Amino acid sequence: MKAVPLSESSLWKLQENYYQGLGIQAWNDRTPYYVTNSVVIASAYADLIVAFLLDRPLEHPEEPLTLLELGTGTGRLAHYLARELTRKLSYFKATRGVKFRIVMTDLSEDTLSFWAGHPRLRPELDFALFRADADPVLKLRRSGLELSALKNPIVVIANYFFDSLAQDEFRVRDGQLEECLVTVETLVKPPKDARDVRVHRTYRRIDGQRRYKDPELTRLLNAYPQGCFTLPVASLQCLKNLRRLGKLVMLSSDRGFTSDDHMLRYSDHHHEIHEGAFSHLVNYGALSSTFQTSFMTTHLYLDSVQTVCALDLPGPFEHLASVFHEQIDHANLINTCNEMFALVRSREQFYKTALPGFVRLNMMDPQAFSACAARIAEYIPRMNFSESADLGRMIEAVWDHDYNFPGAPNVTFWLGHLSFGLGNYARALDFFDYTIRRTGEDEVLLYLKGQCYGNLGRTEEAQACYRRSLELNPGFEEARAALI
């Protein structure tokens, strides 16, 4: 085993193979995604984009504003962002005529095939197989266009992206600059992912002026007089390559550091395993230093995400600054909604209005709803008219946000379950039918359909459901009792 700089280790090839091999299945409860793919973050990003356009109207309105999402994954964020941005652009006279196109990108053909066949993705959402660190042009699959040099700025969206790209690690000890070297020990041959290797770390002294050929990396390397720090070498290369397409407006949320002082307080920067993938905390200060203007969140919790808005354009940006500092940083909007999931994972009891309030705070996001639907159902018998009516409206709003993919919560089952509890049996039938189409028949779903038909006075259809339920599970006593 040879000790090499972290960015040159075999870890990164394992990472790439993991995502390419699994495709859309990488998000089947394997890799974290919710906080950066929610309705809340789509709404916040739409606000930031509108604020940017109010501050800096497009110089070439005949060309659509390109929103380029790196490492798109499920497509959930792009779906929500298209809806949120369409609605919010209409509020202001200056932005009503703005056209935009969202381009989703990934390294896996399997993922692109999933997007191509997804019924909820609008036709105006295009996509491309794209390596941000290498490909000079974007070849769009749906439209057939090739995007190279664009006249308008490009909004680059990079959520949970930079934390998975190659970086180097250094420390200053006794006034001497040292580089972290790693050896990757193979535990399983051949290794399939990051769980099949063990990483060993050592340090060597280096000359900070001669370590890199790139003057930008040399500048960054010598900017830290003490402590332990990382340099996001692959991320910086991505930004350099993307600038071939045009000036960048970057929106990025990820676990990382926006304060050099905070980063330097840690003695080392190990990676964290997420099933077969892994991630490092992002050095957002280094990335932002390559832009003319930047806004960064300031909270310090390592388990929360930081959000950065950085622009290849000089300020001032009054609207953008207001939205960023008030919604994203001061209110900590993106993290607050995610952190409140602790409420529905707790065993403590909550009032019947608290859980619907949690769903509203998360802007009717299906995953937030699914997380607490069982608890909400317990309170339905104690709900008054207003609370029941509010829950009925919530059910329809959550359904409007539904976006199904492998590993997504079984939201249609819960929509049916709560609709049944409210006595809306016809609507419950709709949702149970959707669930069967997605997950297949089982005895419980058929029994619940029978209960709906029975309450609607459709006895023959109810009996047929109970008989089919017993065919699947002859020991299912509830269905047998319902046939009597």
Side-chain angles (χ1 to χ4, degrees):
M1 296 183 293
K2 180 181 179 182
V4 297
L6 179 57
S7 65
E8 298 174 19
S9 76
S10 59
L11 281 172
W12 312 105
K13 186 61 178 175
L14 273 178
Q15 180 94 309
E16 183 175 324
N17 291 343
Y18 173 83
Y19 283 113
Q20 283 189 322
L22 286 174
I24 195 65
Q25 298 296 330
W27 311 104
N28 188 3
D29 291 333
R30 290 181 171 89
T31 310
Y33 67 87
Y34 170 69
V35 65
T36 57
N37 281 262
S38 68
V39 177
V40 172
I41 197 171
S43 176
Y45 277 13
D47 285 338
L48 291 171
I49 293 167
V50 171
F52 163 70
L53 292 170
L54 291 173
D55 285 325
R56 198 64 54 92
L58 298 180
E59 294 183 5
H60 301 277
E62 74 281 359
E63 178 183 279
L65 178 68
T66 299
L67 281 62
L68 174 64
E69 186 182 10
L70 305 178
T72 295
T74 67
R76 197 175 194 254
L77 177 63
H79 165 66
Y80 292 145
L81 182 56
R83 291 166 36 141
E84 292 293 313
L85 191 55
T86 298
R87 181 167 55 84
K88 294 184 176 186
L89 286 171
S90 68
Y91 284 123
F92 302 97
K93 183 178 179 180
T95 59
R96 282 175 196 153
V98 172
K99 298 178 181 178
F100 67 89
R101 60 184 163 217
I102 297 180
V103 179
M104 306 182 293
T105 68
D106 206 274
L107 297 176
S108 168
E109 282 284 359
D110 175 70
T111 301
L112 267 66
S113 297
F114 173 77
W115 298 338
H118 200 290
R120 285 273 181 161
L121 286 178
R122 300 181 179 189
E124 61 265 32
L125 271 68
D126 218 324
F127 46 86
L129 202 68
F130 182 67
R131 292 193 64 100
D133 60 345
D135 293 338
V137 297
L138 276 166
K139 298 180 180 179
L140 308 188
R141 290 289 177 87
R142 277 183 166 166
S143 64
L145 293 175
E146 287 194 7
L147 305 183
S148 51
L150 300 175
K151 297 177 182 177
N152 289 321
I154 307 161
V155 178
V156 173
I157 298 170
N159 290 342
Y160 279 170
F161 179 75
F162 295 128
D163 65 349
S164 300
L165 300 186
Q167 60 181 34
D168 283 321
E169 183 182 330
F170 304 89
R171 71 184 184 189
V172 177
R173 174 166 289 189
D174 300 326
Q176 295 292 320
L177 179 63
E178 298 179 341
E179 179 172 19
C180 176
L181 302 178
V182 301
T183 55
V184 179
E185 177 187 0
T186 300
L187 305 177
V188 177
K189 296 183 179 180
K192 293 182 179 180
D193 54 51
R195 293 169 294 187
D196 295 337
V197 300
R198 182 181 294 125
V199 178
H200 303 274
R201 303 152 68 88
T202 57
Y203 288 86
R204 69 174 178 188
R205 289 186 175 183
I206 61 167
D207 182 345
Q209 298 299 327
R210 304 178 71 175
R211 170 61 179 85
Y212 293 111
K213 295 180 181 179
D214 187 331
E216 182 67 28
L217 291 175
T218 301
R219 175 187 71 81
L220 288 168
L221 179 58
N222 292 278
Y224 302 97
Q226 60 183 2
C228 186
F229 59 94
T230 60
L231 286 189
V233 290
S235 301
L236 290 164
Q237 180 58 46
C238 284
L239 293 177
K240 183 180 292 185
N241 192 55
L242 289 170
R243 287 184 171 110
R244 300 177 188 175
L245 300 175
K247 293 185 181 298
L248 307 183
V249 177
M250 182 182 76
L251 297 175
S252 180
S253 292
D254 213 325
R255 293 178 66 243
F257 298 103
T258 55
S259 162
D260 289 347
D261 179 66
H262 189 209
M263 176 178 63
L264 295 172
R265 289 178 181 270
Y266 288 83
S267 59
D268 53 46
H269 298 279
H270 288 276
H271 64 279
E272 182 174 335
I273 299 289
H274 312 284
E275 291 290 333
F278 66 91
S279 65
H280 284 87
L281 296 175
V282 180
N283 182 350
Y284 270 126
L287 294 180
S288 297
S289 72
T290 67
F291 292 85
Q292 292 194 52
T293 306
S294 63
F295 305 95
M296 297 188 287
T297 49
T298 56
H299 53 273
L300 300 181
Y301 299 115
L302 291 183
D303 287 337
S304 299
V305 302
Q306 301 282 3
T307 297
V308 173
C309 177
L311 307 95
D312 284 336
L313 300 164
F317 292 95
E318 295 178 352
H319 293 88
L320 184 58
S322 172
V323 170
F324 189 91
H325 290 305
E326 289 301 315
Q327 291 190 33
I328 310 300
D329 194 23
H330 176 67
N332 199 5
L333 174 67
I334 294 168
N335 279 302
T336 298
C337 296
N338 181 58
E339 289 162 354
M340 281 191 70
F341 265 94
L343 296 177
V344 296
R345 290 171 179 149
S346 170
R347 293 185 178 181
E348 298 174 9
Q349 295 298 313
F350 297 95
Y351 294 110
K352 59 185 174 182
T353 55
L355 296 175
F358 166 77
V359 179
R360 283 192 295 273
L361 180 63
N362 279 273
M363 297 186 177
M364 311 300 185
D365 188 281
Q367 190 151 344
F369 174 84
S370 299
C372 58
R375 299 282 294 278
I376 293 175
E378 296 173 8
Y379 290 109
I380 287 178
R382 284 173 272 168
M383 286 183 176
N384 60 35
F385 173 80
S386 296
E387 292 162 347
S388 298
D390 180 67
L391 180 56
R393 289 191 293 270
M394 179 177 293
I395 287 169
E396 295 305 323
V398 170
W399 169 239
D400 188 55
H401 283 312
D402 174 70
Y403 182 89
N404 190 51
F405 59 94
N410 195 0
V411 66
T412 50
F413 170 79
W414 290 114
L415 292 170
H417 185 57
L418 269 62
S419 295
F420 184 94
L422 291 173
N424 192 347
Y425 304 116
R427 197 66 176 118
L429 269 174
D430 292 338
F431 290 126
F432 290 143
D433 280 334
Y434 278 117
T435 306
I436 288 172
R437 286 201 288 272
R438 291 177 178 182
T439 65
E441 284 188 339
D442 67 45
E443 65 272 24
V444 174
L445 284 170
L446 288 163
Y447 171 77
L448 291 172
K449 282 189 64 177
Q451 292 286 288
C452 291
Y453 281 127
N455 280 286
L456 291 170
R458 297 161 64 176
T459 306
E460 291 185 5
E461 290 158 292
Q463 296 293 299
C465 285
Y466 298 143
R467 285 193 292 271
R468 176 58 181 156
S469 177
L470 287 169
E471 288 176 8
L472 296 177
N473 182 2
F476 190 33
E477 292 302 323
E478 288 87 345
R480 189 174 303 280
L483 275 172
I484 298 172

